[in-house]
Amino acid sequence: MPQTPREPRRRFLASAGALALGGLAPALVRAQGEALQLGVLTPLTGAGGFDGPRMAKAMQAVIDEVNGNGGLLGRKIVLVVEDGQTNPEAAVRAARKLIDVTKVPAIMGTWASAVTSAVAPLCWESKTFLTTVSGADSITKLPHQGYLIRTQPNNHLQAGKHAEFIASMGVKRCFMMSIQAPFAQPTQSRATEVLKEKGSQMVGTLIYDKDKTTYRSEVDQALRANPDLIYLNGYAPDVTILLRDLYRAGYGGKRFAQSYAVTTKVLDSLPHEVTEGVITVQPSADVTSPAYELAKKRLGVAEPDSYETQATDWASLVSLAIAKAKTPTGTGIRDSVRSICQGSGQKVYSAVEGLKLLAQGKDINYEGASGPCDFTEIGDITDCKFRYNKVENGKFVLLKVA
Amino acid sequence: MENYLIAMCVSAGIYALMALGVNVVWGFAGMVNLGLVGFFAVGAYASALLTIKAHWAIAGGMAAATIVAALVGAVVALITVRLRGDYLAIVTLGFAETIRIVASNAIWLTNGTDGLSGIPGPGRGTLSPEMFNLVYLAIVGVIVAIAYVMNERLRASPFGRVLRAIRDDEQVAAVAGKHVTLFKVKAFAISSAALGLAGALYAHYTSYIAPDIFVPLLTLYIKLALLAGGLGNDRGAIVGAFAVVFLLESTRFVIPYVPGITPVQGAAIREFLIAAFLLVMLRYKPTGLVPEQPTRLPVPPAPRYQPTA
């Protein structure tokens, strides 16, 4: 009797194996079919597993809309989605498959900076266009020959915008405490520069180590400079401790931090009097743009976030650039992308709208859901909106989007 | 398609070199090294830094990476000399994490979490991407072949015999007059050298390294390769490495044909399949695809007892 269960199990394994091998063959044949295939390489597992799937969904929604309106160059678009696993080594293998087997002209969606830096060389060597949300300044400085754009503001742009906002609040003496990270030094020097331009002043900066249980000595050092605003440029665990230590030290001035450092979880873990009045900032979708309204409807989401709107814009930009170039190649996209998203053409807010005008031979200027989508020569965006929140009674209250 | 297959063979070749290296300490000497990705990282950073910052030739960088990794391996072996089994596994796991954290924070040297990009490769830029891949495959192939022959010779040599004796019973080996510590340190150094060279090969192939690459996941892939191929067996190590890359990559082509699943579910199924493969292997074929053959030494016939007159 104990022998009987073995037989069906073996048969199952055999049939599963046959199915797997059988599946392989048509995949290779269909890769050369009629549809126009575009690559998506978002993290579906790992640290980026929260943002990646939503980004893929947002791209699919745009592509469905384009397909519903006659497709691109008379062909249907198919998104081929691979998992970047938030891991550079795995992402490189996935990118190789997209480039060499599926032969996509564009890969959209790398999230972590290390993944983007690892995948980018494959892309420019094989003349494949890459769009990304990674923020590290070093990425657009790679020798990518124009085969890369990013819709995420880099540190330089962010630091400048933050400093402008701080100066606009009437702050005269700003102090900055940064965690030891690649962005620490560049953010401090850029903020110092812009504060000075705007008639304010950086009275001091320091860089602290992560994973400490107290930051009393750092807080004392900051308070000696007598600032009326302290910019806490760290992550949630250390900023939680800094807020507590600042409160204990009796600091009554303003505090400013990135939204990922002061999350709702941080607010829940600290008493309300400790967090009262903290101002947070994050890159924001352009909530006033008609493109944002369209994205809301398309996705059926009340407030699409920065990542979803950026993904919306990639799918639109790549489709429009292919239509403009009249050929689905990476080089075509590279050469024509700036002619459909900036300049004096007619403003359009969706891919479908733009495709219609392009078909009529008109010039267009795509304005995205994440922002105006104007790019510098090295592929950085020139402008972006930021969302400023203030903590009141343990809750976030919107100050403004600007 | 061809280019993709070649690229995957290069990946598999680098995995195979790592598996061969790990086989020396794990397969022959029975020491569990869960920090192999740390030695891989040491080799990758050593060669990348020497070629970028000191403008060494690529071959020089690779040779230096091999030596540096071997020295680091010897030091780790000396530190952990009194540890065995699970304890050794934990300490080596910690070593790999230490290397990753140092690489993240020693920004002046390693450029921190931004990583090092623009690592030169043989003929990169002048050759077409397809030719570059082919040339690289040839280089990796030759190195794996040499490593295989050296490992086989090592296994058959008296040195290999002592390692297996240590694996089976350390005390017996010591009682037989073998300097167990010295053998362990040597084995660790040899193993780390192969891992370091694999790291250098990886760095010059992809042109970019960052701390995020050197995560325990890669260690597990190599362990999986050895278990699948057959522990303690060099042919098995190579077969296993190719099997792992085949498993990782073939699921990519199958999943889109499973009806009614989203890409996220597909990604989860892929990870599940890999785990399931390991479990099935361990349950039904614990000796691997190519089991280790017990070495049989010719036993000389016992001299016949001759009574003295």
Side-chain angles (χ1 to χ4, degrees):
Chain A
M1 278 318 275
Q3 290 294 324
T4 38
R6 285 211 149 217
E7 217 17 63
R9 195 187 297 154
R10 271 204 192 134
R11 214 178 300 148
F12 168 75
L13 279 178
S15 50
L19 203 74
L21 286 175
L24 207 60
L28 305 181
V29 177
R30 213 169 75 169
Q32 294 140 9
E34 276 299 293
L36 200 164
Q37 309 193 76
L38 297 177
V40 171
L41 184 58
T42 54
L44 302 176
T45 52
F50 179 67
D51 291 321
R54 292 182 301 123
M55 283 160 38
K57 221 181 242 175
M59 283 182 259
Q60 188 63 54
V62 172
I63 296 305
D64 287 345
E65 209 173 273
V66 171
N67 283 340
N69 282 276
L72 187 57
L73 303 177
R75 293 158 75 180
K76 284 254 177 277
I77 309 175
V78 172
L79 287 185
V80 181
V81 184
E82 290 291 340
D83 181 10
Q85 296 180 249
T86 329
N87 175 305
E89 199 261 345
V92 161
R93 281 187 279 112
R96 278 250 87 98
K97 185 259 174 183
L98 286 172
I99 292 170
D100 294 329
V101 182
T102 321
K103 300 200 187 297
V104 296
I107 292 178
M108 305 180 281
T110 52
W111 183 86
S113 291
V115 168
T116 306
S117 307
V119 169
L122 300 186
C123 287
W124 78 67
E125 280 168 12
S126 343
K127 305 192 188 316
T128 306
F129 197 70
L130 180 66
T131 67
T132 174
V133 289
S134 305
D137 284 347
S138 55
I139 285 171
T140 42
K141 290 176 187 155
L142 294 169
H144 59 71
Q145 304 153 32
Y147 286 98
L148 183 151
I149 55 167
R150 77 161 143 210
T151 42
Q152 177 86 350
N154 62 12
N155 291 323
H156 188 81
L157 180 57
Q158 294 205 30
K161 287 279 186 175
H162 297 170
E164 275 177 30
F165 175 79
I166 289 169
S168 77
M169 284 193 299
V171 169
K172 290 289 162 227
R173 300 172 64 81
C174 178
F175 192 96
M176 192 157 175
M177 307 172 82
S178 306
I179 194 166
Q180 176 62 277
F183 56 73
Q185 197 61 55
T187 306
Q188 290 187 348
S189 41
R190 177 65 184 158
T192 307
E193 200 179 296
V194 174
L195 280 175
K196 202 171 165 196
E197 272 172 31
K198 299 283 169 188
S200 182
Q201 192 198 350
M202 184 74 86
V203 290
T205 60
L206 64 85
I207 292 177
Y208 60 84
D209 284 323
K210 66 172 179 176
D211 296 339
K212 286 171 72 169
T213 50
T214 175
Y215 290 103
R216 288 300 291 271
S217 58
E218 285 87 348
V219 163
D220 287 346
Q221 192 186 332
L223 294 189
R224 271 201 295 278
N226 195 20
D228 35 72
L229 182 142
I230 299 180
Y231 185 161
L232 305 167
N233 192 18
Y235 297 121
D238 39 282
V239 169
T240 306
I241 297 169
L242 278 168
L243 286 173
R244 193 192 63 200
D245 286 350
L246 280 169
Y247 178 78
R248 281 189 186 157
Y251 174 68
K254 295 185 169 71
R255 289 142 301 162
F256 185 85
Q258 292 266 12
S259 66
Y260 56 70
V262 181
T263 58
T264 42
K265 216 170 132 194
V266 170
L267 295 188
D268 289 344
S269 69
L270 288 170
H272 291 178
E273 55 266 36
V274 174
T275 57
E276 191 66 21
V278 171
I279 296 164
T280 65
V281 58
Q282 67 192 101
S284 166
D286 187 356
V287 293
T288 56
S289 158
Y292 186 76
E293 285 302 315
L294 290 171
K296 261 201 227 175
K297 265 187 231 146
R298 196 182 296 125
L299 290 170
V301 178
E303 279 189 17
D305 74 355
S306 173
Y307 290 120
E308 286 167 314
T309 53
Q310 291 183 53
T312 299
D313 292 342
W314 301 330
S316 308
L317 288 169
V318 166
S319 305
L320 291 169
I322 289 175
K324 176 82 180 178
K326 298 196 173 68
T327 163
T329 61
T331 311
I333 299 171
R334 176 192 72 166
D335 294 341
S336 60
V337 70
R338 283 174 183 74
S339 68
I340 50 100
C341 66
Q342 51 213 63
S344 55
Q346 189 174 338
K347 287 193 174 178
V348 295
Y349 301 97
S350 75
V352 171
E353 195 187 343
L355 289 173
K356 279 183 191 146
L357 289 177
L358 281 178
Q360 293 164 17
K362 292 198 177 131
D363 280 336
I364 57 165
N365 174 11
Y366 176 78
E367 300 279 303
S370 68
C373 291
D374 295 342
F375 298 95
T376 64
E377 223 152 79
I378 59 169
D380 268 319
I381 44 168
T382 54
D383 196 14
C384 161
K385 301 277 183 195
F386 288 86
R387 182 193 183 92
Y388 300 93
N389 285 334
K390 189 174 187 177
V391 180
E392 278 178 17
N393 229 344
K395 296 266 181 297
F396 288 112
V397 178
L398 176 66
L399 271 186
K400 67 170 179 176
V401 175
Chain B
M1 189 72 200
E2 302 77 27
N3 200 26
Y4 164 74
L5 290 177
I6 293 168
M8 290 313 116
C9 285
V10 172
S11 280
I14 292 173
Y15 282 17
L17 182 58
M18 292 170 78
L20 284 173
V22 175
N23 214 9
V24 176
V25 288
W26 196 28
F28 299 171
M31 296 148 71
V32 184
N33 175 3
L34 281 188
L36 61 97
V37 75
F39 301 102
F40 184 70
V42 166
Y45 271 105
S47 192
L49 288 170
L50 285 171
T51 48
I52 293 177
K53 299 207 171 171
H55 305 289
W56 283 33
I58 294 169
M62 286 187 180
T66 314
I67 294 165
V68 170
L71 291 176
V72 173
V75 171
V76 171
L78 282 172
I79 295 170
T80 59
V81 76
R82 296 166 65 98
L83 301 175
R84 258 184 268 171
D86 301 349
Y87 301 98
L88 178 61
I90 291 295
V91 171
T92 49
L93 189 67
F95 161 76
E97 282 297 286
T98 310
I99 293 288
R100 194 172 65 80
I101 289 169
V102 169
S104 305
N105 287 285
I107 299 169
W108 60 274
L109 182 69
T110 62
N111 205 22
T113 47
D114 277 355
L116 290 169
S117 52
I119 304 166
R124 184 193 297 285
T126 48
L127 298 172
S128 70
E130 291 78 17
M131 269 314 285
F132 172 76
N133 266 348
L134 263 180
V135 168
Y136 217 87
L137 180 62
I139 295 173
V140 171
V142 168
I143 290 177
V144 170
I146 294 173
Y148 172 77
V149 171
M150 281 169 66
N151 250 24
E152 281 295 285
R153 286 185 64 96
L154 186 91
R155 196 167 67 93
S157 69
F159 182 82
R161 229 161 34 226
V162 174
L163 291 188
R164 283 197 300 282
I166 291 173
R167 175 184 72 184
D168 294 339
D169 195 326
E170 204 174 304
Q171 266 179 347
V172 171
V175 168
K178 302 299 175 191
H179 194 320
V180 172
T181 305
L182 191 64
F183 275 95
K184 279 185 168 181
V185 170
K186 279 184 187 166
F188 231 94
I190 292 169
S191 165
S192 306
L195 291 168
L197 180 57
L201 281 171
Y202 180 84
H204 292 291
Y205 181 56
T206 61
S207 87
Y208 172 77
I209 54 171
D212 280 3
I213 294 171
F214 307 107
V215 290
L217 185 70
L218 196 55
T219 300
L220 296 183
Y221 285 163
I222 303 306
K223 294 276 159 195
L224 181 57
L226 272 177
L227 285 171
L231 192 57
N233 177 331
D234 293 320
R235 257 186 314 146
I238 295 174
V239 170
F242 276 81
V244 164
V245 172
F246 177 77
L247 184 74
L248 290 175
E249 290 300 312
S250 61
T251 47
R252 215 187 273 296
F253 296 92
V254 179
I255 297 294
Y257 287 89
V258 181
I261 57 162
T262 64
V264 181
Q265 288 164 333
I269 291 176
R270 280 187 66 206
E271 305 222 315
F272 169 78
L273 280 176
I274 291 158
F277 174 74
L278 179 60
L279 289 176
V280 169
M281 273 310 291
L282 286 175
R283 170 65 183 80
Y284 292 102
K285 202 133 175 49
T287 50
L289 297 169
V290 190
E292 184 186 9
Q293 300 296 328
T295 11
R296 301 213 181 279
L297 291 174
V299 182
R304 193 172 294 161
Y305 174 68
Q306 284 174 337
T308 41

